[in-house]
Amino acid sequence: MDQQQQVFVQHFDHCPWLFAESASEEQRLAQRERQEAIAGDSEIGERCYVAESAAVFPDRLRLGDDSYIAAHAYVTGELTTGSDCTLNPFTTVRGTVVLGDGVRIGAHTSLLGFNHSMAPDRPVFQQPLTSSGIKVGDDVWIGSHVVVVDGVTIGDHCVIGAGAVVTKDLPAWTMAAGNPARPLRDRRGAPAAPAPQSRPLTRFADTARAQAADIIARCWDGGHYVDRPGTAPTVRAHCDAVEIADLLLSSVPGQLSADEHVRRLGSLQEPDTGLVPEFGKPLPTADADGFVGEGEALYHILSVGYALDLLGSSFRHPVRGVREMTAPQLVARLGGMLWHDGAWGAGAWIDAWATAARWNLRHGEQDSGALEALFGWLLTRNDPWSGMWGSPSAEAGRLQVVNGYYRLTRGSFAQFGLPVPHPERVVDSVLDHARDPRYFGSGRENACNVLDVAHPLWLCTRQLGTGTGGEGYRTAEIRVWAEGQLTAALSRWRDGKGFGFGPGTAGPGLEPGLQGTEMWLAIVWYLADLLGRSDDLGYRPRGVHRPEPRLIS
């Protein structure tokens, strides 16, 4: 290419809007060759321009008519645009990004349609990537040096001021600016409507945070943690105190040092079995397959394991009954469970077994064949019509099935970061259960039943690609349910005491305590996240009820 031709290329790269009217036939031929050389699955419309100096390496590219990618832009992942879209010089577009018609993106702006976790168990560069994607509507102007993060939807006709950092969805016609971006006014002239939904969540979180230390201290009897004053110490109460302190205070409960918390909880594990009995109780006798079938020791695999994890430690010993269980033994155990009348118990057992297997990986002492057998059995026994394991009954409706589904998937698919089968049917089944007045009538909700609906809905909507702010399968119904439950949940907080678990024969009851507080704090997060407002809480569960898989290094 001669010097004059090089000047023309540089000119069009930085002013691509001139190309359609000013380019010579030779330059148009060179541009066609440029577009044809783009790797990946690409389709480029009429009268488009892709700068020679742009780094365009997509997995999938759909560039609408009359659109351009200007000088030194960086494009990877999956980009889909409508017509008349412009990516100006030095724009970065990565991950999954969808633009409507007539979108203008200013220079040096980044649309980052991907993310990665930040768990403390491994360096950041080794964290797995996730992508909810970014959606931008029609007739949108995004100024220079703007950052739009993963999961955000920007409505039609919006204008985003230079330097903004967009972390939340923006409704149509919004003019926004700032870091984080805040609505300023409506483009049609009216002041931007405030977001009243965020104030109750922020006020609640601030209140809970201010009272957290006193709530935990209220449940310290001088030597041990109790669920609520006047009750006996329990292992779970200590773990709940650790979870609450981590969630709200980013610290450990103040009654003991971090090392003493680790020492106490770690010493509870019996070296021979790897299990943790309840205070003053013997471990239940192991079954023929070498693992316990019920009791507090099953849940302690979760609660103590994650409490130690939050404290930067782990179980000292592997769980022997899980480590030594062969694939045939596991399959026989799964097949012998009471799936019709006892789906919750079956799900709870799988939750504990899979969590123990997860912790055992730290010791390098878990048979991968048994884990493969677990997921193989679950995938082949899942009901494609309901997405569940087990069947509803006339006496309990879907209670056992849905609650068992939560426990089962929490410990297996969710904890290992694997997709659940038939997510649409799961949503159908869970929403049907959520209409049962026996469990969700006014004043009848307890933490277990609400969590066991909220988590499957959250898990499935993310898997279906309809996360925060997105539209998808039955999302309107999900949001109506979540809004009602969130409003009711916030009203249950008792100053200086926290949350009660709620009514019913299971759980510690109505009196506020550590278990109710720990569970409802997680539930509030899931409900808020289903509504796209969890950022207003300023916390995210990291223990038993964490939304992302716990990665084991």
Side-chain angles (χ1 to χ4, degrees):
M1 183 182 298
D2 60 31
Q3 185 174 4
Q4 183 179 14
Q5 183 73 4
Q6 181 66 38
V7 169
F8 274 117
V9 168
Q10 291 177 354
H11 183 62
F12 288 135
D13 272 15
H14 288 84
C15 305
W17 55 87
L18 300 176
F19 180 83
E21 294 183 1
S22 305
S24 66
E25 282 303 316
E26 183 181 2
Q27 291 161 352
R28 295 180 196 278
L29 175 60
Q31 176 59 203
R32 285 195 294 272
E33 292 175 349
R34 164 71 172 122
Q35 294 177 13
E36 290 170 358
I38 295 174
D41 175 12
S42 62
E43 293 181 11
I44 298 177
E46 299 294 326
R47 299 173 300 281
C48 289
Y49 185 86
V50 179
E52 189 72 29
S53 59
V56 183
F57 306 112
D59 296 320
R60 185 177 187 273
L61 173 65
R62 297 292 184 269
L63 198 61
D65 295 344
D66 301 294
S67 298
Y68 62 74
I69 300 174
H72 305 292
Y74 179 31
V75 178
T76 64
E78 298 186 8
L79 170 62
T80 301
T81 83
S83 60
D84 294 292
C85 290
T86 64
L87 278 64
N88 277 295
F90 297 97
T91 297
T92 296
V93 178
R94 303 192 65 195
T96 301
V97 177
V98 178
L99 309 180
D101 295 328
V103 177
R104 295 291 184 269
I105 301 176
H108 298 277
T109 281
S110 297
L111 276 62
L112 305 177
F114 74 102
N115 207 339
H116 55 66
S117 57
M118 58 189 76
D121 65 317
R122 64 180 65 191
V124 170
F125 76 91
Q126 293 180 352
Q127 301 286 342
L129 295 180
T130 61
S131 179
S132 298
I134 293 170
K135 295 181 181 178
V136 180
D138 299 334
D139 180 37
V140 173
W141 177 18
I142 301 176
S144 297
H145 292 278
V146 171
V147 176
V148 183
V149 302
D150 189 37
V152 165
T153 295
I154 298 174
D156 298 341
H157 315 296
C158 286
V159 175
I160 315 299
V165 179
V166 186
T167 61
K168 298 180 183 178
D169 295 351
L170 295 173
W173 297 101
T174 299
M175 297 185 68
N179 180 8
R182 301 295 187 198
L184 302 177
R185 64 182 179 87
D186 189 296
R187 267 184 69 192
R188 294 165 293 188
Q197 305 98 321
S198 66
R199 293 177 185 146
L201 286 175
T202 302
R203 287 198 301 269
F204 162 75
D206 289 345
T207 297
R209 206 169 280 112
Q211 298 179 15
D214 290 340
I215 289 170
I216 294 171
R218 169 179 178 262
C219 297
W220 172 254
D221 69 0
H224 295 86
Y225 291 97
V226 297
D227 182 70
R228 52 207 182 281
T231 60
T234 63
V235 173
R236 177 166 183 167
H238 192 157
C239 299
D240 288 335
V242 171
E243 293 244 13
I244 294 166
D246 179 85
L247 193 69
L248 295 177
L249 304 174
S250 299
S251 66
V252 302
Q255 291 69 38
L256 303 170
S257 69
D259 289 343
E260 182 62 15
H261 282 293
V262 170
R263 189 195 68 76
R264 284 201 181 193
L265 289 172
S267 67
L268 298 175
Q269 188 187 30
E270 290 195 349
D272 291 341
T273 64
L275 296 173
V276 177
E278 184 56 272
F279 293 136
K281 294 185 179 180
L283 281 173
T285 303
D287 296 336
D289 52 28
F291 190 50
V292 294
E294 59 184 3
E296 295 94 340
L298 279 180
Y299 194 80
H300 291 166
I301 293 172
L302 281 63
S303 60
V304 178
Y306 273 101
L308 287 169
D309 190 65
L310 292 173
L311 293 164
S313 185
S314 61
F315 278 130
R316 300 172 183 175
H317 313 284
V319 180
R320 182 171 60 83
V322 173
R323 180 193 64 187
E324 296 179 356
M325 190 178 297
T326 65
Q329 287 176 321
L330 176 61
V331 168
R333 178 61 183 259
L334 296 171
M337 288 179 171
L338 301 176
W339 289 103
H340 180 70
D341 298 322
W344 182 89
W349 189 90
I350 291 172
D351 189 2
W353 191 95
T355 302
R358 196 69 163 144
W359 302 135
N360 283 354
L361 290 173
R362 278 185 164 153
H363 298 273
E365 298 190 29
Q366 182 55 52
D367 179 10
S368 61
L371 272 172
E372 292 173 0
L374 171 68
F375 286 105
W377 192 94
L378 293 174
L379 288 169
T380 55
R381 301 309 195 279
N382 182 259
D383 181 357
W385 297 103
S386 67
M388 301 278 115
W389 291 269
S391 305
S393 66
E395 297 78 18
R398 293 186 183 272
L399 180 67
Q400 283 270 336
V401 176
V402 170
N403 288 12
Y405 180 92
Y406 161 68
R407 289 296 305 273
L408 184 156
T409 55
R410 192 223 71 86
S412 56
F413 293 92
Q415 187 169 226
F416 283 83
L418 300 174
V420 297
H422 311 295
E424 293 96 339
R425 302 293 77 78
V426 174
V427 171
D428 293 339
S429 297
V430 169
L431 286 178
D432 180 69
H433 171 60
R435 290 191 293 266
D436 193 326
R438 291 175 292 180
Y439 314 113
F440 297 95
S442 179
R444 296 187 179 183
E445 304 96 334
N446 65 40
C448 182
N449 293 344
V450 177
L451 175 63
D452 295 359
V453 169
H455 185 275
L457 290 177
W458 185 92
L459 189 65
C460 291
T461 54
R462 269 59 193 170
Q463 185 173 318
L464 291 167
T466 55
T468 301
E471 294 295 335
Y473 189 71
R474 300 186 73 175
T475 49
E477 298 168 74
I478 292 170
R479 288 173 185 159
V480 168
W481 181 84
E483 189 74 66
Q485 290 295 330
L486 182 59
T487 300
L490 296 181
S491 71
R492 297 188 182 105
W493 178 265
R494 297 293 176 263
D495 282 336
K497 298 180 179 180
F499 284 114
F501 176 87
T505 56
L510 297 170
E511 179 66 23
L514 295 181
Q515 181 179 340
T517 300
E518 184 274 322
M519 291 187 70
W520 280 110
L521 286 171
I523 292 165
V524 166
W525 185 91
Y526 278 103
L527 295 172
D529 205 60
L530 285 169
L531 296 165
R533 304 202 296 267
S534 61
D535 285 352
D536 296 318
L537 292 167
Y539 68 74
R540 187 181 187 90
R542 298 197 315 128
V544 172
H545 300 115
R546 61 184 295 125
E548 291 85 18
R550 178 64 176 97
L551 303 174
I552 303 297
S553 56

